[in-house]
Amino acid sequence: MRSHLLNDLTAEQYRSSVTEGVERVAAKLATTDRPFTGVTVDTLAPRIASIDLDRPLGDTGAALDELEDVYLRDAVYFHHPRYLAHLNCPVVIPAVLGEAVLSAVNSSLDTWDQSAGATLIERRLIDWTAARIGLGGNADGVFTSGGTQSNLQALLLAREEAEPGRAGREQGASLSRLRVFASEAGHFSVQKSAKLLGLGQDAVVPIPVGHDKRMQTVALAHELERCRGDGLIPMAVVATAGTTDFGSIDPLPEIAELCTQYGAWLHVDAAYGCGLLASLKYRDRIDGIERADSVTVDYHKSFFQPVSSSAVLVRDGSTLRHATFHAEYLNPRRMVTERIPNQVDKSLQTTRRFDALKLWMTLRVMGADGIGALFDEVCDLAAEGWRLLAADPRFDVVVEPALSTLVFRHIPAAVTDPAEIDRANLYARKALFASGDAVVADTKVGGRHYLKFTLLNPETTTDDIAAVLDLIAGHAGQYLGEPLDRAS
Ligand SMILES: *Cc1c(COP(=O)(O)O)cnc(C)c1O
């Protein structure tokens, strides 16, 4: 069994074993003709349940054969041009290479003595990202597992910085007075964070969005004023730069102005829109982001990085101290004076992956312009898709995309009952998923069911979009034409 440990004696086995795995995936990529096989839970569950985990196969090839059966054959493939559902990107090869290296070397980014070099590489990328945002000379940040954790950490800092926090807030009593403002199209991790941070049930105040799905600043101003009038504390405003559902970008400069006026921390959730930081054409769409106190970026959404790769950036690096705890066995206080860089001092995590290496390899091989050009392509594709949808009487499309998302629904010519239209659209999505021909998402707009394309694959063409729209109309038509099916 020692032969399975990765070390000097097994370097050759490491090479052949990983190569064997890479070969299988490469073969899969080369032959995958649909994003999904349409496999059901009922088919797959018994296959996985029947495997006796206490009887190892003892052989890489056999385990890979089995993996084909339980995973690879029926996985959902994001690289396929007709995978159009969620915020999953196809990944760039330099990042996958980085992934292979980082898991083999297995650095842990909590302390310098577990990650020499890696810590500095992560710091360079934090500085690079902060500079792209324009956060100024005192900026800092840390890589996280994803936007959810980035938002949680940002709101933790905001909570600690909120008046009267600095003057020794009475926990509990004053926590219930803190308010966080986010648009109704903001991400649910804001509510989750508020709960984890011990804020009151009503802590997150939803701000309405306009037809363009951007936060209405008049409404925000009104709520901030009311908050102040009620003797409550505006802890933070979360502006979303790329809503998950629509890709809409809140009006950042106006929101920043209001934050200054009311003394609220400005957090910009750019989990999705961060790709614009590398854009060659559309960077101005997130102008104002430089005024944030903190920013969430998900490289694993719009920088074409494998999951996970995310970061939280802050304007004032000293605020990261709110996440600092010292342990004698790990990062004793004296190390700070010895200027030993321990990233755990800035992170909610302890043991932490060297995810930064993926972005590093990406920048060193392709450069930021390479990433930006890919993201620009999907934004352009979405604009094309919008024109297709707007001109097609079979569909109602919600909002012109600021990023790469299209939300629309099929409106069958002969049907006027909105509930029936809902059912036809839901049926179409399910039928499409079951066919595996394409994968799309669904969501609700104004209480009605809509379908959604999240376009993150530059290989997707307008022909793909047109073809999938035809498939959707076809499935919906089938549903409407076959009343007996409706019970299912
Ligand atoms: C995806 C997303 C998140 C959550 O990020 P994860 O990486 O999935 O944890 C937060 N905010 C927005 C706007 C998102 O789109």
Side-chain angles (χ1 to χ4, degrees):
M1 286 303 133
R2 304 258 299 251
S3 65
H4 293 295
L5 287 173
L6 178 56
N7 57 32
D8 52 342
L9 302 175
T10 56
E12 189 46 50
Q13 196 196 327
Y14 158 65
R15 185 178 286 126
S16 63
S17 184
V18 173
T19 304
E20 208 174 332
V22 169
E23 289 294 352
R24 301 285 183 118
V25 177
K28 193 96 258 170
L29 292 173
T31 55
T32 299
D33 60 356
R34 289 182 298 168
F36 184 46
T37 59
V39 73
T40 62
V41 179
D42 288 344
T43 308
L44 213 41
R47 257 190 253 159
I48 291 175
S50 72
I51 286 172
D52 185 348
L53 292 176
D54 294 317
R55 281 171 175 263
L57 298 165
D59 173 71
T60 306
L64 284 169
D65 288 344
E66 185 181 271
L67 193 66
E68 171 71 17
D69 234 21
V70 297
Y71 176 56
L72 289 176
R73 181 187 308 134
D74 297 300
V76 178
Y77 285 100
F78 301 154
H79 74 277
H80 194 280
R82 293 197 182 175
Y83 176 84
L84 309 171
H86 301 286
L87 273 165
N88 314 106
C89 51
V91 294
V92 291
I93 295 167
V96 177
L97 170 60
E99 183 77 63
V101 173
L102 74 92
S103 62
V105 181
N106 199 28
S107 300
S108 178
L109 273 275
D110 36 351
T111 54
W112 171 255
D113 69 355
Q114 303 174 70
S115 67
T119 282
L120 300 179
I121 286 176
E122 169 167 309
R123 288 184 162 213
R124 273 297 302 279
L125 290 168
I126 288 293
D127 291 346
W128 178 86
T129 307
R132 287 247 162 189
I133 297 170
L135 287 180
N138 295 324
D140 201 356
V142 71
F143 272 67
T144 68
S145 58
T148 303
Q149 188 189 148
S150 296
N151 284 347
L152 172 62
Q153 180 160 1
L155 290 173
L156 167 70
L157 306 185
R159 186 192 74 180
E160 296 301 302
E161 290 289 308
E163 299 293 353
R166 281 168 235 166
R169 188 183 57 229
E170 287 172 58
Q171 289 273 336
S174 63
L175 281 184
S176 66
R177 293 174 55 218
L178 299 177
R179 291 292 177 274
V180 177
F181 304 85
S183 101
E184 57 186 353
H187 195 261
F188 70 0
S189 54
V190 175
Q191 277 91 338
K192 255 192 215 184
S193 301
K195 186 165 187 174
L196 286 163
L197 292 170
L199 308 186
Q201 285 233 313
D202 312 322
V204 181
V205 180
I207 307 296
V209 294
H211 289 301
D212 54 6
K213 304 298 173 190
R214 305 166 78 214
M215 187 192 285
Q216 291 187 322
T217 45
V218 173
L220 174 63
H222 177 79
E223 288 295 343
L224 284 166
E225 189 56 38
R226 180 152 77 173
C227 176
R228 183 190 267 173
D230 291 348
L232 302 171
I233 301 159
M235 174 187 122
V237 176
V238 178
T240 311
T243 57
T244 316
D245 245 357
F246 304 99
S248 49
I249 299 170
D250 288 339
L252 303 177
E254 290 92 327
I255 294 172
E257 209 49 51
L258 286 167
C259 285
T260 307
Q261 199 179 326
Y262 287 88
W265 179 283
L266 172 57
H267 176 62
V268 176
D269 179 356
Y272 177 11
C274 62
L276 293 184
L277 294 172
S279 169
L280 309 175
K281 290 161 76 176
Y282 306 120
R283 172 60 177 80
D284 60 341
R285 292 181 186 178
I286 46 167
D287 279 355
I289 194 172
E290 70 284 353
R291 295 181 62 181
D293 293 295
S294 56
V295 178
T296 287
V297 295
D298 262 0
Y299 307 106
H300 63 216
K301 281 181 181 162
S302 48
F303 271 70
F304 305 93
Q305 301 292 295
V307 178
S308 60
S309 183
S310 177
V312 61
L313 293 307
V314 294
R315 158 178 308 289
D316 175 0
S318 75
T319 58
L320 291 170
R321 73 185 180 283
H322 299 306
T324 309
F325 289 82
H326 291 285
E328 282 308 322
Y329 57 80
L330 191 67
N331 60 334
R333 210 174 287 275
R334 69 178 152 73
M335 286 188 173
V336 178
T337 38
E338 290 169 20
R339 301 172 62 88
I340 295 169
N342 290 328
Q343 293 291 84
V344 71
D345 294 356
K346 306 175 184 181
S347 175
L348 300 186
Q349 293 171 260
T350 307
T351 306
R352 191 161 55 82
R353 291 163 54 83
F354 182 24
D355 285 318
L357 183 61
K358 295 178 279 192
L359 181 58
W360 181 269
M361 292 303 289
T362 303
L363 295 184
R364 298 313 298 140
V365 176
M366 315 169 47
D369 288 356
I371 290 295
L374 292 178
F375 195 58
D376 285 347
E377 276 191 62
V378 294
C379 291
D380 289 338
L381 178 68
E384 286 290 326
W386 186 80
R387 279 189 280 277
L388 275 184
L389 279 160
D392 190 334
R394 297 175 301 169
F395 295 96
D396 167 38
V397 60
V398 177
V399 60
E400 196 168 351
L403 294 174
S404 63
T405 295
L406 295 166
V407 179
F408 60 92
R409 80 198 218 120
H410 177 52
I411 308 281
V415 185
T416 50
D417 175 11
E420 186 71 345
I421 298 176
D422 279 353
R423 287 190 288 270
N425 279 278
L426 279 180
Y427 175 88
R429 178 196 178 237
K430 271 194 183 169
L432 202 56
F433 190 64
S435 74
D437 292 331
V439 185
V440 307
D442 70 298
T443 189
K444 273 192 168 180
V445 181
R448 305 260 63 116
H449 284 288
Y450 276 73
L451 302 176
K452 177 163 89 158
F453 293 162
T454 310
L455 304 170
L456 284 174
N457 191 343
E459 296 295 331
T460 302
T461 62
T462 44
D463 286 349
D464 286 313
I465 291 178
V468 175
L469 290 176
D470 286 344
L471 287 171
I472 288 168
H475 286 300
Q478 197 173 31
Y479 168 80
L480 294 163
E482 291 174 6
L484 286 178
D485 273 3
R486 291 181 199 188
S488 64

